[in-house]
Amino acid sequence: MGYKVAVVGATGAVGREMLQTLAERNFPADKVYALASSKSIGQEVSYGDDEILIVEALDKFDFAAAEIALFSAGGDTAKTYAPIAGQAGCLVIDNSSAFRMDDDVPLVVPEVNPDSVPSSLIENGGRNIIANPNCSTAQLVVALKPLHDAFIIKRVVVSTYQAVSGAGRPAMDELFNQTKGIYVNDAVQPEIFTKQIAFNAIPHIDIFLDDGFTKEEWKMTAETKKILDPTIELVAHCVRIPVFVGHSEAVFIETQQPMTEKAVRGLLGDAPGVIVVDHRANEGYVTPHEAAGEDAVYISRIRQDPTVTNGMVFWCVSDNLRKGAALNSVQIAELIAAQDIRGR
Ligand code: A2P
């Protein structure tokens, strides 16, 4: 018997991708509900290539009608509605940061810690919430996992180059309209971003914390520890760039055990969810433009770091709406379906 699935935030950048991914991967859904705010009631969204769903209002929806809910409607909406859904016996997979660091909420990347998915709803503390990590963390830990297993990662330094779709559809519109406007000399008026995003790079994602890091940078550290290993030290510098889809990361790792470039290339090449494209020639690497619409985490530019004892550097690119959000959520739903954990 298939599942009744609700997608919360179905009109958004990630929500639309969730519907697409559920259909593409033939998730065993008997019924799919598309939910958004009341201003979107009656709007049509695609579910795969052939089906259209009519958007319903989240605040009027009875979660007893659904068994799994994929949430991507922001932290505040999740804080209000995920507990309501959970109490109704619906298992929530939430893409926001609202619950990620809660002790009783598993934070899951299926290639890395599939065993963190509870085997029953009761084991999940009755809250029935599983969290999806931040988009930059998801693609990073998929690449770090095989290297940590083999060589024990001590420290990671990561600089990100993040697409605007990570900030939602209005952010994509802002980049589009600003870019057009600049060509006709319109004055730039940032609304979503703090500064001009077109033809620029903004070293500021999410709020500033007391120690000078941004919350996005903190999330990468805290979430990597929770998903992979609390002993890993990670320092991040996160930058928004004028790319619509696809997050890029320059990653510097230091390990306990010595590693060769060949071994790293081999391990990453065999790792689930990873594709290595690294030819040290023109076109021999992957850019975010090429990763957009794809499921894999792409690794290029692997090279030894000569400045530390056991160090390696690489470039890591992935579609932030897919592995960073929708795909990861659907993969978690697939783990749930495989174990047939359901509330009713
Ligand atoms: P809506 O389009 O009706 O505002 P994005 O991250 O791309 O901006 O998308 C956010 C998604 O979350 C949209 O589908 C949006 O719906 C939905 N959303 C935001 N706030 C609420 C809310 N309070 N109730 C229901 N859905 C919401």
Side-chain angles (χ1 to χ4, degrees):
M1 203 178 70
Y3 284 78
K4 296 180 213 88
V5 181
V7 173
V8 180
T11 52
V14 172
R16 286 171 191 270
E17 205 68 42
M18 283 170 161
L19 289 167
Q20 187 62 27
T21 309
L22 284 166
E24 249 176 48
R25 292 173 71 92
N26 291 320
F27 184 80
D30 283 347
K31 171 80 190 161
V32 180
Y33 299 96
L35 307 176
S37 77
S38 47
K39 79 172 194 306
S40 301
I41 292 175
Q43 207 175 304
E44 295 185 343
V45 287
S46 302
Y47 171 53
D49 292 335
D50 308 320
E51 216 173 313
I52 298 290
L53 304 177
I54 306 296
V55 174
E56 299 174 47
L58 170 64
D59 59 3
K60 300 278 182 312
F61 185 70
D62 177 5
F63 277 95
E67 290 155 321
I68 296 177
L70 307 183
F71 271 63
S72 190
D76 290 342
T77 308
K79 276 186 194 144
T80 306
Y81 291 97
I84 294 172
Q87 269 162 21
C90 176
L91 208 139
V92 173
I93 300 164
D94 178 38
N95 192 48
S96 82
S97 60
F99 307 104
R100 286 181 193 147
M101 298 314 292
D102 292 7
D103 286 341
D104 59 347
V105 173
L107 181 62
V108 179
V109 175
E111 293 87 345
V112 180
N113 61 339
D115 297 341
S116 298
V117 168
S119 56
S120 73
L121 290 174
I122 293 148
E123 193 193 307
N124 195 21
R127 284 226 281 170
N128 300 335
I129 300 170
I130 296 174
N132 206 51
N134 177 260
C135 39
S136 323
T137 311
Q139 69 184 66
L140 178 66
V141 292
V142 169
L144 294 183
K145 162 79 174 157
L147 306 180
H148 187 53
D149 287 348
F151 308 115
I152 310 169
I153 295 173
K154 289 196 304 194
R155 179 166 183 255
V156 180
V157 180
V158 56
S159 297
T160 70
Y161 310 77
Q162 297 182 219
V164 294
S165 51
R169 276 177 73 84
M172 298 172 81
D173 292 343
E174 182 154 315
L175 172 59
F176 185 77
N177 292 328
Q178 240 177 45
T179 307
K180 275 200 316 188
I182 284 170
Y183 279 114
V184 292
N185 280 333
D186 279 354
V188 171
Q189 282 173 331
E191 285 173 15
I192 306 286
F193 297 108
T194 48
K195 297 205 179 199
Q196 173 182 323
I197 183 64
F199 309 101
N200 206 0
I202 305 176
H204 173 191
I205 303 181
D206 210 329
I207 56 172
F208 278 98
L209 304 176
D210 289 345
D211 60 5
F213 282 90
T214 62
K215 192 144 182 221
E216 183 83 355
E217 291 159 352
W218 172 85
K219 283 178 201 165
M220 290 192 78
T221 303
E223 294 178 17
T224 299
K225 284 176 180 285
K226 181 164 175 177
I227 297 164
L228 193 51
D229 189 335
T231 66
I232 294 176
E233 298 296 351
L234 184 148
V235 60
H237 182 78
C238 295
V239 179
R240 189 75 73 187
I241 59 164
V243 158
F244 284 102
V245 177
H247 283 359
S248 308
E249 299 176 342
V251 186
F252 301 73
I253 63 166
E254 243 183 285
T255 56
Q256 262 181 37
Q257 309 291 329
M259 61 190 152
T260 63
E261 233 173 67
K262 189 166 173 243
V264 166
R265 202 176 298 275
L267 286 164
L268 287 171
D270 291 342
V274 177
I275 294 177
V276 175
V277 178
D278 191 12
H279 301 300
R280 297 187 174 176
N282 295 349
E283 301 176 23
Y285 43 81
V286 176
T287 61
H289 179 63
E290 292 146 321
E294 303 292 329
D295 285 346
V297 172
Y298 292 92
I299 304 292
S300 308
R301 306 282 329 272
I302 302 168
R303 60 220 191 264
Q304 203 98 34
D305 177 353
T307 66
V308 289
T309 308
N310 298 316
M312 202 65 65
V313 188
F314 57 87
W315 174 246
C316 171
V317 182
S318 195
D319 182 328
N320 54 298
L321 300 177
R322 292 210 161 210
K323 186 57 205 167
L327 172 64
N328 200 71
S329 295
V330 173
Q331 286 175 307
I332 295 171
E334 287 169 351
L335 288 177
I336 290 161
Q339 298 182 51
D340 201 15
I341 311 166
R342 52 178 116 198
R344 289 171 292 278

